[in-house]
């Protein structure tokens, strides 16, 4: 028996019905290959920066509207997507192993001497300047990604990032450090938000958080990176010292980047590892959930205006910016905080492993449970509360001495801070992907949140200015930011639940009044006469996305 979404039935397109009206049972249409066969062999891309073929995208979407498949077939296609798409994205984690430890090189004396870092203020400035290029290019990068495809964009991003990181091995002096930090930020711009946007073309809204947790958390890289750093900093040759080996390990970034244009498909309709029928199934299961569009829709400027005028975007930005204050500091200062407990610089690197390892389990469990329960708000509030408690403990115990009890209490608090902070990444960004529609707005919206929030990150390292006071003030500021994130999450969840109730009441009223009154009411209330008059249930199900200001759109809370 063919699988159908419980909430959506896709009617065949015009020209695919018999004269009497029943669906044509032509095998090619039912199999989901009819329209793709018409464009087979005609797909071409003129050059590297040309967009993916729109004709093929349209053909796959037409086939997706009529393909019949079982639940078992859907699961089989999703497994194939996991094995190819998700595994390639997760493999990026091998490069992330070195990101935390490169930032933590500050605890190594030879690194500070090479770059002229003579005090904590110089180091915090080097950390902050990274976000300048990152913030400026975040949204343009996401627009470029949608235009040329994720595989080619990630090739450019990773290649730039790898070359900049490798250059640390040969650079000297404080000005050189600042320049390379800016270049690193430019290389990373668009990658994080772009990866969430990319995954939304492959997975349903209820499947995103867990998969983002596998791809985008810094806890597992931090754990493994700490172990690698513990060994690498001891390596010495006649040409290189220990800290340089941390940056020499950037070669995987370059190799991984070169793989992307060849093996990573940009969209389901370009996936060579799927058969035509599997492409139709992959697209159909998304169309029955949120119907992402690879072409058309808003342009970049229109998407930006829609996001800026959306209160949900600003509330998500507050959530992200507030908790990111903690992430932007703990990722670089964790070895320093452990070092202050009385451990040597090298031992401090090794002792970062446990908080990151435990934190990874919290990240994965929170994301998995969030997808399972289809809830984001309560899970975000729980993670912010855990991290806030950790910072409060650190602030309360700062300057209380180095007895075994004090050291143990502060070290345990770091587990809460790491687990709470990093578990928020997949939860908040998957929530953003669930809140924005259409696809063109979603791409700009996720980039907007990351970009504006990271403007705050420019100042975030500066909160740890009180090294002589065991960073008590810094911990207190971070705790206040996490509390603000908690409140914003509570308010946003309350707002979205209210919008869902209001939309449900509107739909009931519209159904009772009839189609003519429905259109009139929506025109008067929303002021989008032309767009709404052209939309009805069939076109939304079959050819267009439902926008997030449409009463039929259901927000995930």
């Amino acid at each position: 028996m063919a699988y159908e979404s419980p909430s959506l039935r896709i009617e065949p397109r015009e020209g695919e019905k018999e004269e009497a009206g029943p669906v044509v049972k032509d095998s090619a249409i039912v199999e989901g290959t009819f329209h793709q066969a018409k464009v087979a062999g005609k797909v071409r891309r003129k050059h590297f920066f040309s967009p993916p073929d729109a004709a093929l995208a349209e053909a796959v979407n037409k086939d997706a509207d009529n393909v019949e498949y079982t639940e078992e077939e859907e699961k089989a296609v999703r497994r194939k997507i996991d094995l190819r798409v998700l595994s390639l994205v997760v493999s990026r984690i091998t490069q992330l192993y070195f990101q935390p430890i490169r930032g933590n090189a500050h605890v190594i004396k030879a690194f500070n001497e090479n770059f002229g870092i003579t005090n904590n203020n110089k180091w915090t400035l080097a950390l902050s300047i990274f976000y300048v290029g990152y913030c400026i290019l975040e949204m343009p990068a996401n627009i470029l990604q949608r235009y040329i495809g994720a595989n080619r964009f990630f090739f450019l991003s990773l290649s730039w990032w790898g070359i900049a990181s490798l250059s640390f091995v040969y650079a000297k002096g404080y000005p050189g450090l600042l320049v390379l930090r800016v270049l690193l930020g430019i290389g990373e711009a668009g990658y994080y938000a772009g990866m969430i946007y990319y995954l939304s073309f492959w997975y349903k809204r209820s499947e995103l958080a867990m998969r983002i947790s596998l791809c985008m958390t810094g806890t597992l890289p931090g754990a493994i990176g700490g172990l690698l750093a513990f060994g690498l900093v001891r390596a010495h040759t006649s040409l290189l010292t220990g800290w340089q080996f941390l940056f020499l390990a950037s070669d995987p970034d370059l190799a991984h980047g070169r793989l992307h244009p060849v093996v990573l498909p940009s969209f389901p309709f370009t996936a060579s590892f799927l058969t035509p029928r599997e492409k139709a199934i992959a697209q159909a299961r998304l169309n029955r959930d949120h119907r992402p569009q690879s072409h058309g829709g808003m342009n970049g400027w229109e998407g930006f205006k829609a996001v800026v005028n959306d209160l949900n975007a600003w509330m998500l930005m507050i959530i992200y910016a507030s908790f990111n204050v903690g992430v932007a500091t703990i990722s670089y200062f964790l070895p320093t905080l452990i070092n202050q407990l009385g451990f040597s610089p090298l031992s401090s690197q090794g002792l970062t492993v446990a908080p990151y390892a435990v934190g990874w389990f919290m990240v994965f469990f929170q994301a998995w449970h969030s997808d399972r329960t289809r809830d984001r708000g309560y899970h975000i509030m729980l993670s912010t509360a855990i991290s806030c408690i950790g910072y409060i403990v650190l602030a309360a115990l700062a300057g209380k001495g180095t007895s075994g009890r004090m050291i143990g209490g502060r070290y345990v608090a770091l587990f809460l801070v790491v687990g709470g902070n990093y578990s928020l990444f997949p939860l908040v960004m998957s929530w953003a992907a669930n809140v924005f529609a259409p696809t063109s707005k979603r791409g700009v919206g996720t980039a907007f949140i990351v970009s504006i929030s990271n403007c705050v990150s420019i100042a975030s390292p500066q909160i740890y200015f009180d090294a002589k006071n065991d960073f008590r003030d810094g911990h207190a500021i971070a705790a206040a930011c996490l509390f603000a994130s908690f409140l914003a999450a509570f308010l946003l969840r309350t707002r979205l639940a209210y919008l869902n109730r209001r939309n449900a009441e509107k739909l009931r009223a519209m159904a009772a009044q009839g189609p003519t009154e429905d259109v009139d009411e929506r025109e008067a209330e929303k002021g989008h006469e032309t767009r709404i008059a052209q939309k009805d249930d069939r076109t939304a199900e079959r050819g267009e996305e439902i926008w997030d200001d449409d009463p039929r759109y259901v927000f995930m809370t």
Side-chain angles (χ1 to χ4, degrees):
M1 181 177 179
Y3 173 76
E4 293 186 359
S5 168
S7 60
L8 180 62
R9 183 177 182 272
I10 305 297
E11 293 289 343
R13 293 174 179 267
E14 185 178 353
E16 293 171 2
K17 293 185 178 182
E18 294 180 341
E19 292 183 2
V23 178
V24 177
K25 293 301 183 181
D26 182 274
S27 60
I29 293 178
V30 174
E31 285 293 311
T33 60
F34 179 78
H35 296 282
Q36 293 177 71
K38 291 182 177 181
V39 298
K42 300 179 182 178
V43 179
R44 296 287 185 273
R45 295 184 74 170
K46 295 179 180 179
H47 52 79
F48 183 88
F49 289 100
S50 62
D53 190 85
L56 179 58
E58 183 180 4
V60 172
N61 271 287
K62 287 180 178 179
D63 285 333
D65 285 347
N66 298 289
V67 66
E68 296 181 1
Y69 58 94
T70 64
E71 190 171 354
E72 288 70 25
E73 286 182 292
E74 180 185 356
K75 290 180 179 178
V77 169
R78 188 177 61 198
R79 282 194 297 270
K80 290 187 73 171
I81 293 172
D82 283 340
L83 288 173
R84 171 61 71 89
V85 174
L86 192 63
S87 63
L88 284 171
V89 174
V90 171
S91 67
R92 167 67 172 126
I93 213 168
T94 59
Q95 285 79 263
L96 290 174
Y97 290 157
F98 295 93
Q99 266 188 275
I101 57 178
R102 290 166 186 160
N104 296 341
H106 172 51
V107 300
I108 302 173
K109 183 179 179 181
F111 175 85
N112 294 333
E113 291 176 349
N114 183 78
F115 288 109
I117 302 173
T118 56
N119 55 58
N120 189 64
N121 291 335
K122 280 192 170 185
W123 176 236
T124 55
L125 175 60
L127 296 181
S128 296
I129 205 169
F130 167 87
Y131 295 101
V132 174
Y134 191 107
C135 296
I136 294 173
L137 295 178
E138 182 74 27
M139 281 183 280
N142 265 45
I143 295 171
L144 176 64
Q145 175 190 330
R146 185 170 188 250
Y147 183 76
I148 67 173
N151 54 356
R152 300 185 181 198
F153 172 77
F154 293 147
F155 164 76
L156 296 174
S157 176
L158 291 177
S159 297
W160 179 286
W161 198 91
I163 292 171
S165 187
L166 190 62
S167 299
F168 275 83
V169 176
Y170 308 102
K172 291 184 181 295
Y174 190 65
L177 174 66
L178 297 180
V179 170
L180 289 177
R181 288 288 297 171
V182 172
L183 294 178
L184 277 179
I186 293 173
E188 198 162 326
Y191 187 88
Y192 175 58
M195 191 60 71
I196 284 106
Y197 180 56
Y198 172 65
L199 291 176
S200 72
F201 282 96
W202 295 92
Y203 295 103
K204 296 179 180 179
R205 295 190 294 172
S206 60
E207 299 169 347
L208 268 180
M210 187 185 73
R211 286 166 175 82
I212 292 174
S213 75
L214 295 174
C215 307
M216 296 299 173
T217 178
T219 48
L220 185 58
I224 299 177
L227 287 174
L228 293 174
F230 191 69
L232 285 174
V233 294
R234 288 171 165 77
H236 290 275
T237 68
S238 58
L239 298 176
L240 300 175
T241 58
W243 69 267
Q244 290 172 308
F245 284 97
L246 303 182
F247 294 90
L248 191 63
S250 299
D251 283 338
D253 288 305
L254 299 173
H256 197 271
R258 287 192 291 269
L259 282 175
H260 275 71
V262 180
V263 297
L264 186 71
S266 292
F267 303 101
F269 66 85
T270 65
S272 60
F273 69 94
L274 297 176
T275 66
R277 172 171 170 78
E278 289 171 337
K279 290 179 185 178
I281 294 174
Q283 191 64 51
R285 68 188 217 94
L286 296 181
N287 288 355
R288 298 171 188 188
D289 182 65
H290 63 281
R291 198 174 189 96
Q293 298 289 322
S294 59
H295 294 76
M298 301 176 177
N299 59 35
W301 176 242
E302 291 170 339
F304 176 74
K305 288 192 294 183
V307 168
V308 170
N309 291 317
D310 190 342
L311 180 59
N312 297 335
W314 291 100
M315 296 181 76
L316 282 164
M317 187 274 295
I318 292 172
I319 296 170
Y320 192 104
S322 299
F323 86 79
N324 202 40
V325 170
V327 174
T329 52
I330 201 67
S331 59
Y332 291 111
F333 280 91
L334 185 58
T336 302
L337 297 176
I338 294 176
N339 179 236
Q340 283 199 331
L341 300 181
F343 298 99
S344 68
L346 292 180
S347 297
S348 299
Q349 290 280 7
L351 287 170
T352 63
V353 174
Y356 278 126
V358 173
W360 183 84
F361 285 102
M362 180 176 174
V363 169
F364 182 80
F365 176 79
Q366 277 280 76
W368 170 82
H369 195 262
S370 175
D371 276 348
R372 186 178 179 85
T373 58
R374 301 196 176 196
D375 170 84
R376 299 288 187 252
Y378 287 136
H379 288 77
I380 290 172
M381 285 185 269
L382 175 61
S383 291
T384 53
I386 290 173
S387 182
C388 183
I389 291 170
Y391 278 117
I392 291 173
V393 172
L394 287 173
L397 298 183
K400 298 292 185 180
T402 56
S403 66
R405 179 178 295 180
M406 293 298 104
I407 292 175
R410 290 161 70 182
Y411 189 58
V412 169
L414 292 176
F415 284 73
L416 302 179
V417 167
V418 171
N421 276 339
Y422 281 100
S423 63
L424 287 164
F425 275 119
L427 295 174
V428 174
M429 293 311 296
S430 61
W431 204 9
N434 298 154
V435 165
F436 297 130
T439 309
S440 47
K441 179 182 177 182
R442 183 180 305 123
V444 176
T446 53
F448 171 83
I449 292 167
V450 175
S451 177
I452 302 300
S453 298
N454 278 320
C455 291
V456 177
S457 297
I458 295 175
S460 294
Q462 309 304 321
I463 71 170
Y464 278 139
F465 57 86
D466 56 332
K468 295 181 180 179
N469 200 26
D470 287 344
F471 301 116
R472 173 183 288 145
D473 294 341
H475 296 321
I477 294 172
C481 289
L482 266 297
F483 182 68
S485 187
F486 177 94
L487 288 179
F490 171 77
L491 293 174
L492 179 58
R493 191 191 187 284
T494 302
R495 169 179 163 77
L496 295 180
Y498 164 75
L499 291 177
N500 284 340
R501 290 193 302 270
R502 189 188 69 179
N503 288 343
E505 292 172 0
K506 236 181 237 189
L507 288 175
R508 286 193 293 269
M510 290 160 62
Q513 293 171 2
T516 303
E517 291 80 6
D518 291 349
V519 173
D520 291 341
E521 180 181 336
R522 288 161 65 190
E523 287 178 351
E525 185 164 327
K526 293 184 175 295
H528 301 315
E529 293 86 353
T530 302
R531 179 170 65 80
I532 294 179
Q534 292 174 342
K535 283 188 174 183
D536 58 16
D537 289 338
R538 177 176 293 181
T539 56
E541 292 172 358
R542 191 176 62 195
E544 299 178 13
E545 290 183 272
I546 297 177
W547 291 32
D548 54 27
D549 60 354
D550 191 297
R552 292 165 295 177
Y553 192 84
V554 179
F555 295 99
M556 183 177 286
T557 58

